[in-house]
């Protein structure tokens, strides 16, 4: 049994138990976790359904601080399924909410994900702009994370600015 199968099994049992003993407040987190498992295993339709249930429950519980993370997860599922327009829309909504709550980690991830959409669509200039914004936060928050350097290097490579691309990839490797 893979780790993902085990995670899915645990989340499904948790969901069943939470419903059985009336732990309604726990349901959205479980649905969100289950959506992440589905997304990681390639089942984006199930991921979107699960994340949407989580989002609806968070809204009904007025748990507004949890909404941006779930919206980001929805964007990730859209991105993985190749629906970049809806991914971008979700990432932008998540970013606006993260900014409202001054959640710097969320801002860093949403900003980086927006850059990924632009990179995937071949808009390397816009991707670079968003990746550079993300890097400012990621370097402060996650000093051992190489992803922002790699992302910027990928945007530079797409722009045919190979010297800058090599510098960013080199920095990513050094971390």
């Amino acid at each position: 049994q893979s780790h993902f199968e085990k995670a899915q099994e645990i989340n499904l049992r948790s969901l069943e138990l939470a419903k059985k003993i009336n732990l309604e407040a726990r349901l959205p987190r479980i649905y969100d976790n289950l959506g992440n498992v589905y997304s990681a295993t390639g089942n984006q339709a199930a991921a979107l359904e699960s994340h949407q249930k989580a989002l609806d429950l968070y809204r009904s519980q007025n748990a507004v601080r949890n909404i941006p993370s779930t919206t980001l997860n929805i964007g990730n599922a859209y991105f993985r399924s190749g629906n970049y327009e809806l991914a971008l829309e979700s990432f932008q909504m998540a970013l606006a909410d993260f900014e409202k709550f001054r959640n710097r980690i969320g801002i860093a991830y949403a900003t980086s994900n927006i850059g990924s959409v632009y990179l995937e669509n071949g808009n390397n200039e816009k991707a670079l702009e968003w990746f550079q914004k993300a890097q400012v936060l990621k370097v402060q928050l996650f000093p051992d994370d190489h992803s922002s350097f790699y992302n910027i290097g990928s945007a530079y490579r797409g722009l045919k600015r190979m010297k800058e691309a090599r510098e960013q990839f080199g920095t990513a490797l050094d971390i």
Side-chain angles (χ1 to χ4, degrees):
Q1 189 176 31
S2 77
H3 292 297
F4 290 117
E5 289 169 331
K6 186 75 173 165
Q8 181 177 337
E9 180 185 315
I10 289 168
N11 279 291
L12 288 171
R13 278 194 283 157
S14 297
L15 192 60
E16 191 179 299
L17 184 61
K19 287 177 181 178
K20 187 176 181 178
I21 60 174
N22 294 323
L23 285 176
E24 304 298 320
R26 301 276 188 212
L27 291 176
R29 174 66 58 210
I30 297 167
Y31 277 118
D32 215 16
N33 289 341
L34 191 55
N36 287 335
V37 172
Y38 289 139
S39 188
T41 58
N43 189 346
Q44 303 314 321
L48 286 166
E49 183 180 328
S50 195
H51 289 311
Q52 190 60 54
K53 284 180 184 176
L55 187 61
D56 293 343
L57 287 167
Y58 280 137
R59 285 182 176 144
S60 72
Q61 295 172 359
N62 200 29
V64 294
R65 289 190 176 274
N66 295 325
I67 290 173
S69 294
T70 300
T71 305
L72 191 73
N73 289 336
I74 289 170
N76 288 333
Y78 280 130
F79 185 86
R80 288 181 176 136
S81 65
N83 191 334
Y84 302 120
E85 187 176 321
L86 288 177
L88 182 60
E89 198 175 294
S90 297
F91 295 150
Q92 288 170 332
M93 284 190 294
L95 177 60
D97 284 343
F98 283 133
E99 287 174 338
K100 183 169 54 177
F101 298 123
R102 292 184 173 91
N103 180 331
R104 295 175 71 223
I105 292 172
I107 292 168
Y109 283 117
T111 303
S112 183
N113 289 3
I114 290 169
S116 294
V117 171
Y118 286 119
L119 185 70
E120 198 63 36
N121 285 328
N123 190 337
N124 296 299
E125 200 66 54
K126 276 276 226 205
L128 179 61
E129 176 186 326
W130 283 96
F131 287 147
Q132 287 173 330
K133 288 179 186 178
Q135 186 180 52
V136 170
L137 285 173
K138 283 189 164 189
V139 166
Q140 296 169 8
L141 298 168
F142 316 109
D144 295 332
D145 182 28
H146 68 280
S147 66
S148 62
F149 295 97
Y150 180 81
N151 290 341
I152 290 171
S154 296
Y156 277 134
R157 183 179 57 209
L159 291 167
K160 309 288 188 242
R161 292 168 57 181
M162 301 316 250
K163 182 177 186 259
E164 289 114 318
R166 279 191 298 276
E167 289 171 4
Q168 293 295 318
F169 290 139
T171 302
L173 287 171
D174 290 343
I175 295 175

Short mmCIF file of all heavy atoms in Angstrom, two decimals, residues 27-33 47-75 78 90 93-94 97:
data_model
loop_
_atom_site.label_atom_id
_atom_site.label_comp_id
_atom_site.label_asym_id
_atom_site.label_seq_id
_atom_site.Cartn_x
_atom_site.Cartn_y
_atom_site.Cartn_z
N LEU A 27 -14.80 18.64 9.52
CA LEU A 27 -15.06 18.13 8.17
C LEU A 27 -14.33 18.90 7.06
O LEU A 27 -13.76 18.26 6.17
CB LEU A 27 -16.57 18.11 7.89
CG LEU A 27 -17.36 17.07 8.69
CD1 LEU A 27 -18.85 17.22 8.39
CD2 LEU A 27 -16.88 15.67 8.39
N PRO A 28 -14.34 20.23 7.07
CA PRO A 28 -13.68 20.90 5.94
C PRO A 28 -12.19 20.59 5.85
O PRO A 28 -11.66 20.39 4.74
CB PRO A 28 -13.92 22.39 6.19
CG PRO A 28 -14.52 22.52 7.54
CD PRO A 28 -15.00 21.17 7.96
N ARG A 29 -11.50 20.50 6.97
CA ARG A 29 -10.06 20.18 6.94
C ARG A 29 -9.84 18.78 6.37
O ARG A 29 -8.93 18.55 5.58
CB ARG A 29 -9.47 20.30 8.36
CG ARG A 29 -8.03 19.85 8.48
CD ARG A 29 -7.03 20.69 7.73
NE ARG A 29 -7.09 22.06 8.17
CZ ARG A 29 -6.82 23.11 7.41
NH1 ARG A 29 -6.45 22.95 6.17
NH2 ARG A 29 -6.91 24.32 7.87
N ILE A 30 -10.70 17.85 6.76
CA ILE A 30 -10.56 16.48 6.26
C ILE A 30 -10.82 16.45 4.75
O ILE A 30 -10.06 15.82 4.00
CB ILE A 30 -11.52 15.52 7.01
CG1 ILE A 30 -11.16 15.46 8.50
CG2 ILE A 30 -11.47 14.12 6.40
CD1 ILE A 30 -12.21 14.80 9.38
N TYR A 31 -11.88 17.13 4.30
CA TYR A 31 -12.15 17.19 2.85
C TYR A 31 -10.99 17.84 2.10
O TYR A 31 -10.61 17.39 1.01
CB TYR A 31 -13.43 17.98 2.56
CG TYR A 31 -14.70 17.17 2.69
CD1 TYR A 31 -15.67 17.51 3.63
CD2 TYR A 31 -14.95 16.07 1.86
CE1 TYR A 31 -16.84 16.77 3.75
CE2 TYR A 31 -16.11 15.34 1.97
CZ TYR A 31 -17.06 15.69 2.92
OH TYR A 31 -18.22 14.96 3.02
N ASP A 32 -10.41 18.88 2.68
CA ASP A 32 -9.28 19.55 2.04
C ASP A 32 -8.07 18.61 1.95
O ASP A 32 -7.42 18.52 0.91
CB ASP A 32 -8.93 20.83 2.80
CG ASP A 32 -8.46 21.95 1.90
OD1 ASP A 32 -8.68 21.88 0.67
OD2 ASP A 32 -7.88 22.91 2.43
N ASN A 33 -7.78 17.92 3.04
CA ASN A 33 -6.67 16.95 3.03
C ASN A 33 -6.92 15.85 2.01
O ASN A 33 -6.00 15.45 1.28
CB ASN A 33 -6.47 16.34 4.42
CG ASN A 33 -5.91 17.32 5.41
OD1 ASN A 33 -5.33 18.34 5.05
ND2 ASN A 33 -6.09 17.03 6.69
N ALA A 47 -10.35 15.64 -6.60
CA ALA A 47 -9.70 16.69 -5.80
C ALA A 47 -10.57 17.94 -5.78
O ALA A 47 -10.82 18.52 -4.72
CB ALA A 47 -8.31 17.00 -6.34
N LEU A 48 -11.02 18.35 -6.95
CA LEU A 48 -11.84 19.56 -7.04
C LEU A 48 -13.15 19.40 -6.27
O LEU A 48 -13.57 20.31 -5.56
CB LEU A 48 -12.13 19.90 -8.50
CG LEU A 48 -10.95 20.49 -9.27
CD1 LEU A 48 -11.21 20.48 -10.77
CD2 LEU A 48 -10.61 21.88 -8.78
N GLU A 49 -13.75 18.23 -6.36
CA GLU A 49 -14.99 17.98 -5.63
C GLU A 49 -14.76 18.06 -4.12
O GLU A 49 -15.53 18.68 -3.39
CB GLU A 49 -15.53 16.60 -6.02
CG GLU A 49 -16.85 16.25 -5.37
CD GLU A 49 -17.33 14.87 -5.79
OE1 GLU A 49 -17.05 14.43 -6.92
OE2 GLU A 49 -18.00 14.23 -4.95
N SER A 50 -13.69 17.46 -3.67
CA SER A 50 -13.37 17.44 -2.24
C SER A 50 -13.02 18.84 -1.73
O SER A 50 -13.50 19.27 -0.67
CB SER A 50 -12.23 16.46 -1.98
OG SER A 50 -12.12 16.16 -0.63
N HIS A 51 -12.20 19.56 -2.49
CA HIS A 51 -11.83 20.93 -2.09
C HIS A 51 -13.06 21.84 -2.09
O HIS A 51 -13.19 22.70 -1.22
CB HIS A 51 -10.76 21.51 -3.02
CG HIS A 51 -9.41 20.90 -2.85
ND1 HIS A 51 -8.80 20.73 -1.63
CD2 HIS A 51 -8.53 20.42 -3.77
CE1 HIS A 51 -7.61 20.19 -1.81
NE2 HIS A 51 -7.43 19.99 -3.09
N GLN A 52 -13.95 21.64 -3.05
CA GLN A 52 -15.16 22.47 -3.11
C GLN A 52 -16.04 22.21 -1.88
O GLN A 52 -16.61 23.15 -1.32
CB GLN A 52 -15.95 22.22 -4.40
CG GLN A 52 -17.06 23.21 -4.62
CD GLN A 52 -16.58 24.66 -4.69
OE1 GLN A 52 -15.70 24.99 -5.48
NE2 GLN A 52 -17.15 25.52 -3.87
N LYS A 53 -16.14 20.95 -1.46
CA LYS A 53 -16.89 20.63 -0.24
C LYS A 53 -16.27 21.34 0.96
O LYS A 53 -16.98 21.90 1.80
CB LYS A 53 -16.93 19.12 0.01
CG LYS A 53 -17.88 18.38 -0.89
CD LYS A 53 -17.84 16.88 -0.59
CE LYS A 53 -18.73 16.11 -1.55
NZ LYS A 53 -18.64 14.68 -1.35
N ALA A 54 -14.95 21.31 1.02
CA ALA A 54 -14.24 21.99 2.11
C ALA A 54 -14.53 23.48 2.08
O ALA A 54 -14.85 24.08 3.11
CB ALA A 54 -12.73 21.74 2.01
N LEU A 55 -14.46 24.07 0.90
CA LEU A 55 -14.69 25.51 0.76
C LEU A 55 -16.12 25.88 1.18
O LEU A 55 -16.32 26.84 1.93
CB LEU A 55 -14.44 25.93 -0.69
CG LEU A 55 -14.48 27.41 -1.00
CD1 LEU A 55 -13.41 28.17 -0.22
CD2 LEU A 55 -14.28 27.64 -2.50
N ASP A 56 -17.08 25.09 0.73
CA ASP A 56 -18.48 25.35 1.10
C ASP A 56 -18.67 25.26 2.61
O ASP A 56 -19.37 26.09 3.20
CB ASP A 56 -19.41 24.37 0.39
CG ASP A 56 -19.46 24.58 -1.12
OD1 ASP A 56 -19.05 25.66 -1.60
OD2 ASP A 56 -19.91 23.65 -1.83
N LEU A 57 -18.05 24.27 3.22
CA LEU A 57 -18.17 24.10 4.68
C LEU A 57 -17.48 25.24 5.43
O LEU A 57 -18.02 25.75 6.42
CB LEU A 57 -17.62 22.75 5.12
CG LEU A 57 -18.50 21.55 4.76
CD1 LEU A 57 -17.73 20.25 4.95
CD2 LEU A 57 -19.76 21.56 5.61
N TYR A 58 -16.29 25.64 4.98
CA TYR A 58 -15.61 26.77 5.62
C TYR A 58 -16.48 28.02 5.55
O TYR A 58 -16.59 28.77 6.52
CB TYR A 58 -14.25 27.04 4.98
CG TYR A 58 -13.14 26.14 5.43
CD1 TYR A 58 -12.23 25.61 4.52
CD2 TYR A 58 -12.95 25.82 6.78
CE1 TYR A 58 -11.18 24.79 4.92
CE2 TYR A 58 -11.92 25.01 7.19
CZ TYR A 58 -11.04 24.49 6.26
OH TYR A 58 -10.00 23.68 6.67
N ARG A 59 -17.09 28.23 4.39
CA ARG A 59 -17.96 29.40 4.24
C ARG A 59 -19.16 29.31 5.18
O ARG A 59 -19.52 30.29 5.82
CB ARG A 59 -18.41 29.54 2.79
CG ARG A 59 -17.32 30.06 1.89
CD ARG A 59 -17.80 30.23 0.46
NE ARG A 59 -16.75 30.83 -0.36
CZ ARG A 59 -16.54 30.52 -1.62
NH1 ARG A 59 -17.32 29.65 -2.24
NH2 ARG A 59 -15.55 31.10 -2.28
N SER A 60 -19.78 28.13 5.27
CA SER A 60 -20.96 27.98 6.13
C SER A 60 -20.59 28.12 7.61
O SER A 60 -21.42 28.52 8.41
CB SER A 60 -21.65 26.65 5.87
OG SER A 60 -20.91 25.57 6.39
N GLN A 61 -19.34 27.80 7.94
CA GLN A 61 -18.87 27.93 9.33
C GLN A 61 -18.26 29.30 9.58
O GLN A 61 -17.79 29.58 10.67
CB GLN A 61 -17.83 26.85 9.63
CG GLN A 61 -18.36 25.44 9.60
CD GLN A 61 -17.26 24.40 9.73
OE1 GLN A 61 -16.07 24.71 9.83
NE2 GLN A 61 -17.64 23.13 9.72
N ASN A 62 -18.23 30.14 8.55
CA ASN A 62 -17.62 31.46 8.62
C ASN A 62 -16.15 31.39 9.06
O ASN A 62 -15.65 32.24 9.78
CB ASN A 62 -18.42 32.40 9.54
CG ASN A 62 -18.12 33.86 9.26
OD1 ASN A 62 -17.79 34.22 8.13
ND2 ASN A 62 -18.22 34.69 10.28
N ALA A 63 -15.47 30.34 8.61
CA ALA A 63 -14.05 30.15 8.91
C ALA A 63 -13.23 30.82 7.80
O ALA A 63 -12.53 30.15 7.03
CB ALA A 63 -13.73 28.66 9.02
N VAL A 64 -13.32 32.14 7.73
CA VAL A 64 -12.78 32.89 6.60
C VAL A 64 -11.26 32.78 6.46
O VAL A 64 -10.74 32.88 5.35
CB VAL A 64 -13.21 34.38 6.66
CG1 VAL A 64 -14.70 34.51 6.46
CG2 VAL A 64 -12.78 35.03 7.96
N ARG A 65 -10.56 32.56 7.54
CA ARG A 65 -9.09 32.47 7.44
C ARG A 65 -8.64 31.17 6.78
O ARG A 65 -7.49 31.07 6.34
CB ARG A 65 -8.45 32.62 8.81
CG ARG A 65 -8.55 34.05 9.33
CD ARG A 65 -7.71 34.25 10.58
NE ARG A 65 -7.73 35.62 11.01
CZ ARG A 65 -6.92 36.57 10.55
NH1 ARG A 65 -6.01 36.29 9.67
NH2 ARG A 65 -7.00 37.80 11.02
N ASN A 66 -9.51 30.18 6.71
CA ASN A 66 -9.16 28.91 6.07
C ASN A 66 -9.47 28.90 4.57
O ASN A 66 -8.98 28.05 3.84
CB ASN A 66 -9.90 27.76 6.74
CG ASN A 66 -9.46 27.58 8.17
OD1 ASN A 66 -8.30 27.77 8.51
ND2 ASN A 66 -10.38 27.23 9.04
N ILE A 67 -10.28 29.84 4.14
CA ILE A 67 -10.73 29.87 2.75
C ILE A 67 -9.58 30.05 1.75
O ILE A 67 -9.53 29.34 0.74
CB ILE A 67 -11.84 30.93 2.56
CG1 ILE A 67 -13.11 30.42 3.27
CG2 ILE A 67 -12.09 31.24 1.10
CD1 ILE A 67 -14.24 31.44 3.33
N PRO A 68 -8.61 30.94 1.99
CA PRO A 68 -7.56 31.13 0.98
C PRO A 68 -6.73 29.88 0.70
O PRO A 68 -6.39 29.61 -0.45
CB PRO A 68 -6.68 32.24 1.54
CG PRO A 68 -7.39 32.81 2.70
CD PRO A 68 -8.49 31.90 3.08
N SER A 69 -6.43 29.09 1.72
CA SER A 69 -5.64 27.87 1.50
C SER A 69 -6.41 26.87 0.65
O SER A 69 -5.83 26.22 -0.24
CB SER A 69 -5.25 27.23 2.83
OG SER A 69 -4.37 28.06 3.53
N THR A 70 -7.70 26.75 0.91
CA THR A 70 -8.51 25.84 0.12
C THR A 70 -8.65 26.35 -1.31
O THR A 70 -8.58 25.57 -2.27
CB THR A 70 -9.88 25.64 0.78
OG1 THR A 70 -9.67 25.09 2.09
CG2 THR A 70 -10.76 24.69 -0.01
N THR A 71 -8.79 27.66 -1.47
CA THR A 71 -8.86 28.25 -2.81
C THR A 71 -7.55 28.00 -3.56
O THR A 71 -7.56 27.70 -4.76
CB THR A 71 -9.16 29.76 -2.71
OG1 THR A 71 -10.36 29.94 -1.94
CG2 THR A 71 -9.35 30.38 -4.08
N LEU A 72 -6.43 28.08 -2.85
CA LEU A 72 -5.13 27.78 -3.45
C LEU A 72 -5.08 26.32 -3.89
O LEU A 72 -4.61 26.00 -4.99
CB LEU A 72 -4.01 28.08 -2.46
CG LEU A 72 -2.59 28.07 -3.00
CD1 LEU A 72 -2.34 29.30 -3.86
CD2 LEU A 72 -1.59 28.04 -1.86
N ASN A 73 -5.60 25.41 -3.05
CA ASN A 73 -5.64 23.99 -3.40
C ASN A 73 -6.50 23.74 -4.64
O ASN A 73 -6.16 22.92 -5.49
CB ASN A 73 -6.16 23.16 -2.23
CG ASN A 73 -5.16 23.09 -1.09
OD1 ASN A 73 -3.96 23.24 -1.28
ND2 ASN A 73 -5.65 22.85 0.11
N ILE A 74 -7.60 24.46 -4.73
CA ILE A 74 -8.46 24.35 -5.92
C ILE A 74 -7.67 24.79 -7.16
O ILE A 74 -7.69 24.12 -8.20
CB ILE A 74 -9.75 25.17 -5.74
CG1 ILE A 74 -10.66 24.49 -4.70
CG2 ILE A 74 -10.48 25.37 -7.07
CD1 ILE A 74 -11.85 25.32 -4.26
N GLY A 75 -6.94 25.88 -7.03
CA GLY A 75 -6.10 26.34 -8.13
C GLY A 75 -5.06 25.31 -8.53
O GLY A 75 -4.80 25.10 -9.72
N TYR A 78 -6.77 22.65 -10.58
CA TYR A 78 -7.01 23.15 -11.94
C TYR A 78 -5.71 23.18 -12.74
O TYR A 78 -5.67 22.80 -13.91
CB TYR A 78 -7.63 24.54 -11.91
CG TYR A 78 -9.12 24.56 -11.65
CD1 TYR A 78 -9.65 25.40 -10.67
CD2 TYR A 78 -10.00 23.77 -12.38
CE1 TYR A 78 -11.02 25.43 -10.44
CE2 TYR A 78 -11.36 23.80 -12.15
CZ TYR A 78 -11.87 24.64 -11.18
OH TYR A 78 -13.22 24.67 -10.96
N SER A 90 -8.25 31.16 -9.45
CA SER A 90 -8.21 30.67 -8.06
C SER A 90 -7.01 31.23 -7.32
O SER A 90 -7.13 31.66 -6.16
CB SER A 90 -8.17 29.14 -8.04
OG SER A 90 -9.33 28.60 -8.61
N MET A 93 -7.61 34.86 -6.43
CA MET A 93 -8.54 34.99 -5.30
C MET A 93 -7.84 34.66 -3.99
O MET A 93 -8.01 35.35 -2.98
CB MET A 93 -9.77 34.09 -5.49
CG MET A 93 -10.76 34.62 -6.50
SD MET A 93 -12.32 33.72 -6.50
CE MET A 93 -11.83 32.11 -7.08
N ALA A 94 -7.06 33.58 -4.00
CA ALA A 94 -6.33 33.19 -2.80
C ALA A 94 -5.36 34.28 -2.39
O ALA A 94 -5.27 34.63 -1.20
CB ALA A 94 -5.59 31.87 -3.03
N ASP A 97 -7.04 37.17 -0.65
CA ASP A 97 -7.42 36.83 0.74
C ASP A 97 -6.19 36.72 1.64
O ASP A 97 -6.20 37.19 2.78
CB ASP A 97 -8.21 35.53 0.78
CG ASP A 97 -9.65 35.71 0.32
OD1 ASP A 97 -10.14 36.86 0.29
OD2 ASP A 97 -10.29 34.69 0.00
#
